[in-house]
Every structure is written in structure tokens, then in C-alpha cells.
Amino acid sequence: MIFYISTAFILFSLCIFDFSARMEQGKFALNILSRQLFLTLTISFVLLGGFRWLTGTDWIPYSRFFLENRSWKSFVVHLFEPGYTVLNFVIKQFTDSYTIFLLVFHFLVIVPKMFFIRKTAYYPLVSLVLYWCIYFCEITAVRNALGVSFLLLSIFAIHKKNKKVFILLTVIATSIHYSCAMWIFSYYVYHKDVPLAKWKNLILISLFFAVTGKIIYPPVMKALFSPIGGNIAWKIVHYATDYEEAATSIVTKFFSLGKRVLFIPFIFMFYKKLVSFSPYNKGVINLYLFGNAFYLVFFTGFTQMNRCVIANLFLEVILLPEFICCFKKKYTKMLFIFVILLYGLFKMITALRPFSDVLIPFYTIFNYQPRVMH
């Protein structure tokens, strides 16, 4: 755990270089030092992800999928999505090294997200602290993270109203992880001029389902899908009635709900100011609020559905640091930065705890010891 926490503090110390982004021809521009630092950190994270060994969730199925197959026929008999299957197959034709595969994979996952943060965040290095604390900067990523990277890139296409590129990136993401399919609604949500009153009503309705979902969904899903039969219907019923959520404690659930109850009203309170920080922010806020409303609907029941809005929830990394500018006094701003750090550390610890057996310590190909993986 020392590796993860110490890295968070190192990134936090680098925030002193994160001068307020200035507008240049409608686009954010980082100072030269921060730009070089961002490039260095991006390369470092790609290398950490690529050289990891026996570290990360689902190591066994992912490593075996690459290592134990070679021909196209042997790859397609597995249940992975076609896009992720193609990626494995293509790389396998050039090398048998799983480390090479991980290097390519993490390059495709991390570079788009770092680019997205650098281009859209008002305080990129503060956002980077959150990116590390919440997502470990994807150094232990699995395939849904790759899909999300393509979805985040599509925001630039959405902003420019380039429907062809948006659809292309969404299709690619969905071919990597089917949960990305719901992003197709993002084009409409991003550009929709939704009154704050309607967002407030939607969040309140979602909170109702957050409280009652565990009671409502099991009988409804059983009644709708049990008669249909088949693997997909069975999975829907299973997810709706599965109460075994070992990785999510009551404390974590309470914290997650409490965070939204506090954070979302702040978005409403400072909405005009937040929108003024970036040409992307109005649409980004729309996507974030939509994602949270969806998340709350399935907060306590049928929680597997929340995979569909992972890209929306990622936008917290961009929005939360922008509240720094909403405070006038310098000491208040500094206090809020420390609040962000504490929040990030809490998220990190709660994420590490249930998977400590496969994440701690962080092993690389150069220095590892055998351990039981799953």
C-alpha cells in the first residue's frame, strides 16, 4: 500500500506546478513545465501498467486468453467482446510476450485519458491526483477501461458535432466492452439544454430508487425475464437478485451516496461559474449528472448496470478540482485542495482493501514473487 499512497503524495506535491489554465483561442493551454511533466507522467504510467506482473484483478482469465491462444478460431470461441479479441489476436501474431501486450494495452488505455485530462481540466495536475487515487491511473486496467478511453475521446467529436467520428468511437468502445453501448445517448445529453430544475427533479427521483431498488428490482426482473430463459435472461435475473457484494461494504455505500448528496448540490449552486471555466463544461456537467442519476437508480439493486455509466462518472476527475476557483479566499482554496486529497485517499484505500491480495504489493516483471491470483 506504501507504493500507492506515496505516489498519491508525490502527485499532490506536483500540484504546485499546476497553474490555473489560461484560454488560448478557445482551448486550454498548459505552461511548458506542466506540459513536459504531464508527458513524463503519461510515459511512466504506461510503463508501470505494461511491466506489472501478477498484479491486478482478473489476471488469470486475461493472461490465459492471450497466452493460450494463437489462431483466430481459438480466440473467438471465448466470450470476450470482438474488439478486445481482435486486439489480442493481432498482437499475438507478432509476439508471445504478455508484457508486450500489456504495454500496448495500457498505452491505448492511459494516453487517451491523460490527453483528455490535459485538454479539458482547469487544474490538470489536481485532476491527475484524483485519477490516481480513484483509478490508479489505469496501471491495473481491464478491458472496460479501454472502452471508456475511446468514449472520452468521443467527447471532442460530440463537442464539434461530428456525428460520424462520435459513432465510430462509440462502436469501437462497445466492441471492446458491451456496457459502452449506452454512451450512444451522450450526443443528445451533451447538447441538451436542460433546466437545473429538471436535473434536480431527476436526481430526487433517482434517490428514491437508490433507497428502494433492492426491494423493487428482484421480483420485477424475475417476473420479466425468468420465463424467457437463455443465458442473457439468466444473467439479468442473477445480477438483479445477487446480494453478494463482498467488494462493497456498507461504509463504502454510505460514503458514495453521501458524496453525491453533497457534491451534486454544489454543482447546481455554482453552475454558471463552472460553465464559464471551459467550453466543454456545460456538456460535461450534463453527462456527469445523467450518469449519476443512472447510477443512483441502480445503487442498491441490479448494481451491475452501473458499468454502463463508468465514463460519465469519470468526469468527476475533471469537475471536482474546478470548485477551487469557486472560493475567493486563498486559504479556503488551499483547504479545499486538501479536502480533495483526503477524499482521494479514502477512495484509494476502499478500492485497495477488497483486492489487497492481488494489488499489494505492486509487482513488476523485474521483481515479483508467486502469489495466488484470480
Side-chain angles (χ1 to χ4, degrees), residues 266-281:
F266 269 96
I267 292 179
F268 296 143
M269 190 183 306
F270 296 105
Y271 179 79
K272 289 184 179 179
K273 198 163 188 177
L274 290 171
V275 168
S276 69
F277 291 152
S278 164
Y280 297 99
N281 268 12

Side-chain angles (χ1 to χ4, degrees), residues 60 108 114 129 131 163 213 306-307 356:
I60 295 297
L108 294 174
M114 294 290 281
V129 172
Y131 183 32
K163 291 183 180 180
N306 287 328
R307 293 180 179 180
S356 59

Side-chain angles (χ1 to χ4, degrees), residues 59-289:
W59 176 269
I60 295 297
Y62 281 111
S63 60
R64 284 183 175 174
F65 181 60
F66 178 81
L67 294 171
E68 296 179 2
N69 298 287
R70 177 171 295 279
S71 68
W72 177 248
K73 288 184 178 180
S74 64
F75 272 109
V76 296
V77 296
H78 296 273
L79 297 178
F80 286 108
E81 290 86 346
Y84 184 73
T85 300
V86 169
L87 178 64
N88 278 261
F89 172 73
V90 170
I91 297 175
K92 186 71 173 186
Q93 305 315 300
F94 295 95
T95 179
D96 291 326
S97 171
Y98 190 53
T99 295
I100 298 297
F101 171 81
L102 287 177
L103 283 168
V104 175
F105 175 78
H106 284 284
F107 177 87
L108 294 174
V109 172
I110 295 171
V111 171
K113 287 193 175 81
M114 294 290 281
F115 176 80
F116 179 76
I117 290 173
R118 189 176 74 81
K119 287 293 185 181
T120 62
Y122 201 76
Y123 289 102
L125 290 178
V126 181
S127 292
L128 191 56
V129 172
L130 284 175
Y131 183 32
W132 174 263
C133 290
I134 300 174
Y135 301 98
F136 308 126
C137 288
E138 313 292 3
I139 63 172
T140 61
V142 290
R143 72 187 190 281
N144 66 330
L146 178 56
V148 170
S149 293
F150 283 102
L151 297 183
L152 292 176
L153 283 181
S154 76
I155 288 179
F156 298 113
I158 296 173
H159 184 74
K160 295 178 180 179
K161 296 186 177 181
N162 190 332
K163 291 183 180 180
K164 291 181 180 179
V165 174
F166 162 69
I167 292 172
L168 175 63
L169 291 172
T170 303
V171 169
I172 292 173
T174 304
S175 75
I176 295 167
H177 201 279
Y178 291 140
S179 64
C180 296
M182 190 172 167
W183 186 257
I184 198 69
F185 298 108
S186 295
Y187 190 95
Y188 171 79
V189 174
Y190 185 93
H191 291 291
K192 181 66 175 176
D193 189 12
V194 183
L196 289 183
K198 288 188 176 181
W199 279 125
K200 292 174 185 178
N201 292 335
L202 182 61
I203 295 298
L204 288 174
I205 294 171
S206 301
L207 282 170
F208 169 78
F209 285 101
V211 176
T212 62
K214 207 160 191 174
I215 301 171
I216 295 175
Y217 295 133
V220 171
M221 293 302 170
K222 278 185 177 179
L224 290 176
F225 292 97
S226 291
I228 297 176
N231 186 52
I232 295 177
W234 178 86
K235 280 189 175 183
I236 292 173
V237 174
H238 172 71
Y239 288 145
T241 58
D242 182 17
Y243 298 105
E244 298 295 329
E245 296 182 25
T248 308
S249 67
I250 295 176
V251 175
T252 305
K253 281 279 191 183
F254 179 80
F255 180 81
S256 180
L257 182 61
K259 179 199 72 175
R260 286 167 172 82
V261 171
L262 292 173
F263 183 36
I264 293 176
F266 269 96
I267 292 179
F268 296 143
M269 190 183 306
F270 296 105
Y271 179 79
K272 289 184 179 179
K273 198 163 188 177
L274 290 171
V275 168
S276 69
F277 291 152
S278 164
Y280 297 99
N281 268 12
K282 185 176 181 180
V284 165
I285 290 172
N286 278 0
L287 293 176
Y288 181 72
L289 291 175

